[in-house]
């Protein structure tokens, strides 16, 4: 037999490059370097380079740790005068207060630059210029809180950025200790007062976010000075809930902050790291244990001395649970009474009792 002939297509060599326009979606900036490893090569101005890096951080926040050192080194080689340093501060500030969810990353960036810029301007450092820029916005707080929706939105972005700065900007003391900027602590207290003094919904929502973010740290700092400023804030919240014409949802959010603070801002004090946690030495040992109920409706957890006996009784009450196959599929059909009962409305008597409970709770809150 004659051997079959297999046609071999000639090898086609593509002339396309991985950087060809065909490989980029429309509108993509091909001059944007995803790694910034080449420093400021190809950039004509500091503003162009810094803005591209800020946009890069906004899109890929995970690259902060790997690329911030190169960025700071590049900026050190470019910023040589007060004017360019001021420009750098303004670029970072605008990004942190105008791009959604960038306030935390902006505060981290500010902290890094405040410690790693080696330039020696004639007047002020990066941190000093940054705080001066924040001071300018801070001085307009009363007008901003009373302004239109656009003005208030910009003001709220500034407030939350200042909160992130307070948490992330590290100040090194003369003895090498690391502290927070006390001027920001006092500024946040005054900003809370301004927000509560103008109790429209979005001002109050900003105050809620601010307290959730910094409440525990602020209270600790105030207590160290022997101040009860947080008690005053909680009293202001309670007054707003009773008197302000804000929405019911916002009042609920404010009450949740009061509840959060009453639980020590959700913090759980751990036992000593050298002591093994046991039910005897750790009151929170069973806090995450599930709660079960006996046949009489009495709750019990693993902390109950008769736990094993009660739990075994619970397992034997098979009639309380629907039957399931081993693969997890329910054997009960769609018309099964067990499932139908779940969809029934509350008994009129129970519904009346529930409404009474809600009214009494609301009355107690107002007292």
């Amino acid at each position: 037999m004659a051997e079959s002939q297999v046609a071999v297509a000639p090898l086609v060599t593509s002339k396309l490059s991985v950087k060809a326009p065909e490989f980029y979606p429309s509108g993509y900036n091909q001059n944007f370097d995803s790694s910034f490893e080449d420093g400021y090569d190809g950039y004509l101005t500091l503003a162009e380079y810094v803005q591209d890096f800020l946009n890069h951080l906004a899109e890929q926040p995970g690259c902060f740790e790997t690329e911030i050192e190169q960025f700071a080194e590049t900026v050190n080689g470019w910023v040589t005068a007060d004017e360019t340093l001021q420009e750098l501060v303004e670029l970072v500030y605008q990004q942190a207060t105008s791009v959604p969810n960038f306030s935390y990353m902006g505060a981290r960036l500010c902290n890094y630059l405040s410690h790693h810029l080696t330039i020696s301007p004639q007047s002020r450092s990066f941190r000093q210029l940054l705080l001066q820029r924040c001071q300018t916005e801070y001085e307009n707080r009363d007008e901003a809180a009373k302004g239109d929706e656009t003005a208030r939105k910009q003001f709220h972005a500034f407030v939350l950025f200042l909160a992130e700065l307070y948490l992330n900007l590290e100040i090194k003391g003369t003895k090498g200790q690391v502290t927070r900027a006390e001027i920001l602590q006092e500024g946040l207290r005054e900003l809370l007062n301004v927000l509560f003094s103008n109790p429209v919904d979005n001002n109050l929502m900003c105050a809620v976010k601010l307290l959730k973010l910094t409440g525990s740290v602020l209270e600790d700092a105030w207590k160290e000075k022997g101040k009860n400023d947080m008690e005053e804030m909680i009293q202001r919240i309670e007054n707003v809930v009773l008197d302000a014409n804000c929405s019911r949802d916002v009042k609920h959010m404010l009450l949740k902050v009061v509840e959060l603070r009453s639980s020590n801002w959700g913090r759980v004090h751990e036992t000593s790291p050298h002591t093994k946690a046991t039910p005897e030495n750790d009151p929170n040992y069973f806090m995450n244990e599930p709660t079960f109920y006996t046949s009489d409706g009495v709750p019990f957890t693993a902390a109950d001395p008769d736990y094993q006996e009660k739990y075994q009784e619970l397992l034997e009450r098979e009639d309380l649970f629907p039957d399931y196959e081993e693969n997890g599929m329910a054997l009960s059909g769609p018309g099964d009474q067990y499932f139908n009962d779940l969809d029934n409305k509350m008994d009129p008597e129970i519904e009346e009792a529930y409404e009474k409970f809600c009214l009494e709770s609301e009355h107690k809150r107002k007292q």
Side-chain angles (χ1 to χ4, degrees), residues 8 43 52 72 81 83 92-93 96 113 125 133 158 171 173 176 195 197 201 207 224 237 257 265 281 283 286:
V8 179
Y43 290 94
D52 264 6
E83 292 76 12
V92 175
Y93 176 86
L113 292 177
S125 66
R133 177 63 180 87
F158 161 69
I171 309 296
L195 291 168
S197 297
D201 278 9
E224 287 181 4
I237 290 177
V257 171
W265 304 101
N281 66 19
F286 291 110

Side-chain angles (χ1 to χ4, degrees), residues 321-333 339:
F321 301 93
D323 294 325
Y324 287 88
E325 295 177 351
E326 290 185 359
N327 63 2
M329 297 298 293
L331 294 175
S332 302
F339 293 98

